[in-house]
Amino acid sequence: MNQDLEYDLDDRKQTILRVIISNYLETGEPVGSRTISKLSDLNLSSATIRNEMSDLEELGYLVQPHTSAGRIPTDKGYRFYVDKVMTEKSGMEEAVKEREGALLERVDKLEALLMQVAKVLAYNTQYATMVTTPMLRNRQVKFIQLSQVDEERLVAVIVVGDNVAKNKLIKVSRPLINEEVLKFNLLLNTFLQGVSVDQINLELMQTMKKEAGDYSDILESIFEGIIDAVKEAEEMKIYTSGASNILRFNELGDVSKATALLETFEEQTGLNELADETLKSEDSDHNIQIYIGDEAPVQNMKDCSIVTSTYQLPEGAKGTIGIIGPKRMDYRKVVSTLKNLTDELDNIFRYNDDKRGED
């Protein structure tokens, strides 16, 4: 998530800041002037480096956790790293792609595939992950099929949007025969095919009731069941994996912080908001977003960094993939892994769509 910050740092300060952040990402330990002199080609004295570090601290890029310790990055420092360093070309993406190979198997059921995505990401990054089902607001009804269970019950199969099928058991007020059920099927598909939930209004309902004649009371019961089923199809599901990975990082190991984070994953509080926030933005490849610290839309994740991306089904429905870890996460690897995985998802969805076309 780019905050469009202005980085008024000269080359020396930028080099020192990069060295501190890179070393802290790797070790998790505060970085001192002696470490910088060893890891950089600045040829500066320790005193000069300490002065530059003090300036970076005053500018809000670094903080000194203890008086005698070195410095660690602030949220602003991490944002500098993500905005400046991450945009520089690197062989990391190809290296990650070659090392991981095919991340996913082709599976028939979308639910199984998304659960697999969450597990693969958690395993490969060792962070916590979340994946949502694809959302296409105001999905249109494609097809409705009513069948009799017995004299007083019907089962409705409603196919919407991106070929999502929902079943609904509907009780009717009086017995129906097969011919009457067939007439209801014709009526429903005539009026509701290609219509979204928000387009179904009182006027449409009254027109259909008029067509149903003496069966208008039964139509109303069927109608309510169909509306409920379509709304259920629009509910987002979230699959998570690797929440316990968070406990591996000392900065997130505080009992109260860890408990709040684990509850967020278990109860999925706030994850919907994170998904919605990601889907709103359309400004980058696969919509990669990086939230650092206070930028996070989820309150219990203010001590974390979150990297999210989107995937898209052929018919336009979009879902969110998220990786949650400490602020000192391996941003290059996480972003590269997300890009590679979303590319693979695109290939899988195209493959499945082509197969449906052939059938």
Side-chain angles (χ1 to χ4, degrees):
M1 182 178 177
N2 197 320
Q3 298 294 316
D4 297 323
L5 296 174
E6 293 294 330
Y7 301 104
D8 51 347
L9 301 177
D10 59 35
D11 290 344
R12 180 194 288 178
K13 284 185 173 62
Q14 288 196 33
T15 299
I16 291 173
L17 184 56
R18 291 175 193 221
V19 171
I20 291 173
I21 295 174
S22 296
N23 189 258
Y24 185 68
L25 291 178
E26 185 177 340
T27 67
E29 298 293 332
V31 183
S33 57
R34 183 175 298 180
T35 301
I36 295 171
S37 63
K38 290 179 181 178
L39 296 176
S40 68
D41 298 323
L42 289 171
N43 296 318
L44 299 173
S45 67
S46 293
T48 302
I49 292 174
R50 283 195 294 271
N51 288 335
E52 294 287 6
M53 291 168 71
S54 294
D55 289 346
L56 287 167
E57 188 173 356
E58 287 183 12
L59 290 168
Y61 294 95
L62 300 175
V63 65
Q64 192 172 22
H66 307 290
T67 306
S68 59
R71 266 78 165 185
I72 64 174
T74 61
D75 289 1
K76 185 178 179 181
Y78 284 117
R79 175 50 60 191
F80 164 85
Y81 178 83
V82 168
D83 289 352
K84 296 295 184 182
V85 181
M86 290 281 293
T87 56
E88 296 171 358
K89 290 186 178 180
S90 166
M92 172 65 80
E93 186 169 336
E94 285 303 315
V96 169
K97 197 167 187 175
E98 289 176 11
R99 184 169 64 248
E100 292 179 349
L103 292 171
L104 303 173
E105 301 171 2
R106 286 190 170 90
V107 292
D108 293 331
K109 291 188 177 179
L110 180 62
E111 178 177 314
L113 176 63
L114 297 181
M115 291 173 70
Q116 188 183 353
V117 169
K119 289 177 181 177
V120 166
L121 279 178
Y123 177 80
N124 284 331
T125 64
Q126 291 299 294
Y127 300 132
T129 62
M130 60 165 280
V131 181
T132 74
T133 51
M135 297 302 297
L136 182 62
R137 302 296 181 185
N138 301 322
R139 285 172 165 159
Q140 293 181 337
V141 175
K142 277 192 163 186
F143 180 71
I144 299 169
Q145 177 66 53
L146 295 177
S147 302
Q148 274 188 301
V149 176
D150 52 41
E151 287 187 341
E152 296 182 348
R153 292 183 302 170
L154 300 172
V155 63
V157 179
I158 304 100
V159 180
V160 296
D162 42 340
N163 293 321
V164 174
K166 299 295 292 184
N167 298 333
K168 196 73 177 179
L169 193 63
I170 301 169
K171 291 187 71 174
V172 291
S173 56
R174 50 195 162 103
L176 294 173
I177 60 175
N178 284 335
E179 288 77 5
E180 291 167 330
V181 174
L182 289 173
K183 288 180 180 179
F184 274 117
N185 277 323
L186 179 61
L187 177 65
L188 291 168
N189 284 289
T190 299
F191 282 90
L192 298 182
Q193 270 187 348
V195 175
S196 60
V197 174
D198 63 343
Q199 292 175 317
I200 299 174
N201 52 33
L202 184 60
E203 183 180 353
L204 178 60
M205 183 62 187
Q206 292 301 329
T207 302
M208 291 178 67
K209 277 187 172 183
K210 187 176 180 181
E211 288 289 326
D214 294 338
Y215 296 94
S216 61
D217 57 330
I218 297 177
L219 176 65
E220 190 163 351
S221 299
I222 295 171
F223 202 78
E224 288 174 2
I226 290 170
I227 296 298
D228 288 343
V230 175
K231 286 181 177 178
E232 286 174 13
E234 291 188 345
E235 289 178 1
M236 181 190 294
K237 290 183 181 178
I238 302 176
Y239 305 106
T240 62
S241 185
S244 60
N245 288 338
I246 290 169
L247 304 178
R248 296 172 50 246
F249 302 96
N250 292 333
E251 58 266 48
L252 300 176
D254 174 86
V255 175
S256 59
K257 290 180 182 178
T259 301
L261 275 170
L262 291 174
E263 285 179 353
T264 299
F265 279 92
E266 186 176 339
E267 300 171 9
Q268 300 189 349
T269 51
L271 297 186
N272 287 56
E273 186 178 351
L274 175 59
D276 287 340
E277 188 75 19
T278 301
L279 291 172
K280 285 177 187 175
S281 180
E282 300 289 345
D283 57 2
S284 57
D285 182 31
H286 277 309
N287 194 18
I288 296 283
Q289 295 288 303
I290 300 175
Y291 303 89
I292 300 170
D294 286 337
E295 296 171 0
V298 183
Q299 182 60 39
N300 288 340
M301 293 181 179
K302 298 294 184 181
D303 293 308
C304 302
S305 279
I306 307 167
V307 183
T308 63
S309 181
T310 59
Y311 67 89
Q312 184 168 332
L313 298 184
E315 294 193 15
K318 288 185 177 182
T320 299
I321 305 171
I323 299 176
I324 300 94
K327 294 176 188 176
R328 61 181 180 94
M329 69 162 52
D330 189 339
Y331 292 96
R332 284 191 188 275
K333 179 180 178 181
V334 167
V335 170
S336 295
T337 300
L338 266 181
K339 285 182 178 178
N340 292 335
L341 188 136
T342 46
D343 284 343
E344 265 197 69
L345 279 177
D346 287 347
N347 291 334
I348 290 172
F349 293 142
R350 278 197 296 269
Y351 170 81
N352 290 337
D353 196 47
D354 290 344
K355 276 186 67 179
R356 280 196 298 267
E358 291 171 5
D359 296 341

